[in-house]
Amino acid sequence: MLRTISPQDMQEMERAFLDGTLYPSILLMEHAAQAVVDALAACVDARSRVLFVCGGGNNGGDGCAAARLWIQRGGQAEVWLLKSPSQMRGDAGVNACLLNACGASLNILYGDVPEVPDSCAAVVDALYGTGLSRPLEGVSLAAVQRINACDLPVISVDIPSGVDGATGRVLGDAVHASVTVAFHRAKHGHLLFPGRELSGRLIVADIGILAEWDGAQGIDVLEDEDARALLPIRAADAHKGTFGHVLIVAGSKGMAGAACLAAQSALRAGAGLVTAACPFSVLAPLQNSVPCAMAQVVSDGPALDARAANALRQLAEGKRAIAVGPGLGKAKGTWQAIEELIGGDGPKVVDADALNLLAQHGGRVGANTVLTPHPGEMARLCGATVQEILDAPVEYAQQLAADMNACVLLKGATTVIAQGEDVAMNMTGCDAMGTGGCGDVLTGVIAALMAQGMPPMDAARVGAFYHGRAGEAAGRALGARAVTAWDVCDHLRIE
C-alpha cells in the first residue's frame, strides 16, 4: 500500500530519526542524490551533459550531490545555483563546494537566466522541495520557465519546484516534470491535482530512514494487492442470500438510465439480489436493460413523491444495503419520499440527486452511510465554491465526514475518501470516465460491497479502486472518446 506523508510530518520524522540514531544527515542527502542519478540514468546516456538547477537549501544540496555523482559515473554536469557555494549552509554547502573539484561547470544565477544549453540532454530540477510555501518569483520563477521551455526530459528532486507538497497546488508557476523522485514516502501534493500531473512518473526512493522511526499518519492509496485483500471471501457453498440484497432507489422520467446503471453495477459487483424501487416511467427500461434485477413500482407519477415513503420503508426491510439518489430529480416530494431512508442506520450509499436534496433541505444522515458527491454537489453540501473544494479536497472531505458522521467519497481525478481519522485517495481511473452515468455505476458497486459485509470506508475505497480499473479497461478496449458508463459497467472485474 502506498501511504503519503505531509511535508511537515516528513520534516519532523527525519529530524527525530537523525537525533535519535546519530545517523549522519549528509548520508541521507547522498542516498537521495543516488536515487536521482539512478532515475536520470534511465532517461539519458551515462555520458550525457545534464543541467542541474539547484536552490540554496537542502533540495539544492540534493541536486549538487547528484551532479557530483553524475560526473563520477562518467557524465558531464552543468550546474545553475541560486546562491554561491560559500553562501550555502550545512550539507548543501558541503556538496556545493565539492562541485568545482569534480569539474562541474557552475553558473550563479544573480540576474538574467539563460536558456537551457542545446548541449544538454536532460534537466534535474532541484530548486525547491516539498516545504515551499510561497509563490515563486524573480530568478526562481525565470528558472522554472526556462526549464519548462526546453523540451528535454526533466527529473524533479522530491517534488516539481513550485508545487505545494501538502496540497498539490501551484505556487505561481511550477516545473512540468517527466519523472519525480520522492524521498521515503510520497507527499500528498504528488497525488492531488495539479501536482499529480506535474509530477510525471513518480518514483518513491528509500533514503535510509528506518521503518521503526516512521510513525507518521498519512493518506492511504490502495494498490491491486490491497484491494483484493479487503474483499470478502466468497465461500464455496454460498448462495444468492449469502451475498446480500441491495435496494436501488433511483430514476425518474427521462432518467431511467441512472437506475439501470446502478442496478446493473450492483449485480456486476457481486450482490446476490438487486431490487430497484422506481416510478412507473422507469419500469420498462429497467426490466429490458437489467433483466437480472427485480423492480418494484413505488410511484405512478414521473418521479417519486411523498406517497412513496411508506412503500420504500417496507422495501428497505431486510435489505443488506441501499443505494439512493441516481436520477431521482429534485422535487420536494422526492425528498419526502427518501428522507426516512437517508436518516436510517442501515448500510447505504447516498448519491446524485439525493445529495442535492440533502443540501437543499438538510436533515439527518444515519450511521453506516457513504456520501458520494462530485465537486459541485460537495460545494452545495459544504456551502463553498467548487474552486474552494478543488483547492482543498482532503480538508473538505474530512470536515463533511465529521459534520455528517459518515464516510465521504469526494469524486475526482484523484478521489478522496474520509471517515473519522481515516483518509484514503484513489488513483485509478482515466479521462474515459468523463461521461454521464459513471457515478451511478460507482454507487451500485459500493452498495453491493456493503451488502456483502464490507464497512463503509472499505467499501468506498475498494469500490472506487475497481470502478477506476473498469474505466481504464474500457478506455483501452474502445478508446477514451467512445466509452460510455455502460461500457465501464461491462468492464467491472472485482476479484
Side-chain angles (χ1 to χ4, degrees):
M1 182 182 297
L2 180 66
R3 174 170 290 180
T4 67
I5 188 171
S6 72
Q8 180 179 352
D9 285 347
M10 179 68 191
Q11 186 178 37
E12 292 173 357
M13 181 262 296
E14 184 176 328
R15 177 51 52 196
F17 170 71
L18 293 172
D19 291 345
T21 63
L22 301 182
Y23 195 90
S25 59
I26 199 165
L27 280 184
L28 290 187
M29 186 170 285
E30 193 76 359
H31 297 326
Q34 185 64 62
V36 171
V37 170
D38 289 344
L40 180 59
C43 294
V44 297
D45 185 86
R47 295 166 296 178
S48 300
R49 177 177 290 275
V50 174
L51 173 63
F52 294 79
V53 186
C54 303
N58 282 339
N59 193 258
D62 295 335
C64 290
R68 169 175 51 78
L69 291 173
W70 185 247
I71 292 170
Q72 291 170 338
R73 280 195 177 197
Q76 302 173 66
E78 180 154 339
V79 183
W80 291 356
L81 294 171
L82 293 188
K83 293 181 178 180
S84 68
S86 61
Q87 293 176 310
M88 296 172 69
R89 298 288 179 260
D91 299 334
V94 171
N95 278 297
C97 289
L98 289 172
L99 289 172
N100 271 325
C102 294
S105 174
L106 300 185
N107 184 358
I108 314 301
L109 301 178
Y110 289 120
D112 292 338
V113 177
E115 293 185 4
V116 174
D118 292 337
S119 59
C120 290
V123 178
V124 171
D125 156 41
L127 277 168
Y128 293 101
T130 60
L132 183 67
S133 59
R134 64 183 186 279
L136 298 178
E137 58 185 7
V139 173
S140 300
L141 178 60
V144 166
Q145 291 169 341
R146 289 296 195 192
I147 292 170
N148 287 339
C150 74
D151 198 29
L152 293 174
V154 177
I155 291 83
S156 283
V157 176
D158 210 10
I159 199 165
S161 294
V163 172
D164 187 316
T167 67
R169 292 197 292 267
V170 170
L171 299 170
D173 201 352
V175 168
H176 295 234
S178 310
V179 176
T180 296
V181 182
F183 302 140
H184 185 66
R185 276 160 66 177
K187 314 309 179 292
H188 306 339
H190 289 126
L191 307 187
L192 294 167
F193 279 84
R196 176 176 164 185
E197 183 175 21
L198 295 171
S199 295
R201 183 168 64 89
L202 183 65
I203 298 171
V204 180
D206 177 14
I207 58 171
I209 297 174
L210 300 176
E212 54 264 34
W213 287 88
D214 184 359
Q217 286 190 323
I219 297 176
D220 291 339
V221 182
L222 292 186
E223 298 177 290
D224 289 275
E225 290 184 4
D226 310 309
R228 284 195 295 269
L230 288 170
L231 288 172
I233 295 173
R234 293 174 70 88
D237 61 347
H239 51 81
K240 62 187 178 184
T242 306
F243 303 126
H245 193 163
V246 175
L247 176 65
I248 305 286
V249 183
S252 59
K253 186 175 182 180
M255 295 295 290
C260 297
L261 287 163
Q264 178 73 352
S265 61
L267 289 165
R268 288 281 190 194
L273 294 164
V274 173
T275 294
C278 60
F280 181 76
S281 58
V282 173
L283 179 62
L286 180 67
Q287 294 281 260
N288 286 330
S289 299
V290 194
C292 294
M294 296 172 283
Q296 183 69 48
V297 173
V298 293
S299 174
D300 292 332
L304 301 189
D305 56 33
R307 293 171 295 178
N310 186 54
L312 291 175
R313 184 185 309 115
Q314 295 178 35
L315 284 171
E317 293 179 2
K319 302 300 186 293
R320 292 266 194 89
I322 300 170
V324 55
L328 282 179
K330 302 174 186 177
K332 182 179 180 180
T334 301
W335 172 248
Q336 293 170 336
I338 65 173
E339 182 178 8
E340 185 177 335
L341 288 183
I342 291 175
D345 288 338
K348 76 188 77 64
V349 185
V350 180
D351 183 36
D353 286 330
L355 294 172
N356 292 321
L357 289 166
L358 179 63
Q360 181 180 351
H361 297 284
R364 174 180 177 272
V365 172
N368 299 305
T369 297
V370 178
L371 307 175
T372 58
H374 59 55
E377 293 160 345
M378 189 75 168
R380 289 186 280 276
L381 287 164
C382 296
T385 67
V386 171
Q387 191 58 53
E388 287 171 335
I389 299 298
L390 294 174
D391 285 344
V394 174
E395 291 82 356
Y396 274 103
Q398 288 179 301
Q399 186 59 56
L400 184 63
D403 292 345
M404 295 287 193
N405 193 27
C407 174
V408 172
L409 183 150
L410 174 55
K411 301 170 190 171
T414 297
T415 291
V416 177
I417 307 109
Q419 183 177 29
E421 297 297 319
D422 296 328
V423 185
M425 289 192 289
N426 182 63
M427 303 283 287
T428 63
C430 62
D431 61 309
M433 302 174 75
T435 184
C438 279
D440 305 326
V441 175
L442 177 60
T443 295
V445 170
I446 297 173
L449 294 175
M450 295 177 80
Q452 293 167 74
M454 295 186 74
M457 183 71 184
D458 285 348
R461 58 184 182 154
V462 171
F465 180 89
Y466 283 112
H467 179 248
R469 282 282 186 256
E472 294 168 356
R476 288 192 298 271
L478 302 171
R481 289 178 174 83
V483 171
T484 68
W486 201 262
D487 298 317
V488 174
C489 187
D490 279 347
H491 282 82
L492 280 169
R493 301 291 185 273
I494 301 180
E495 55 189 10

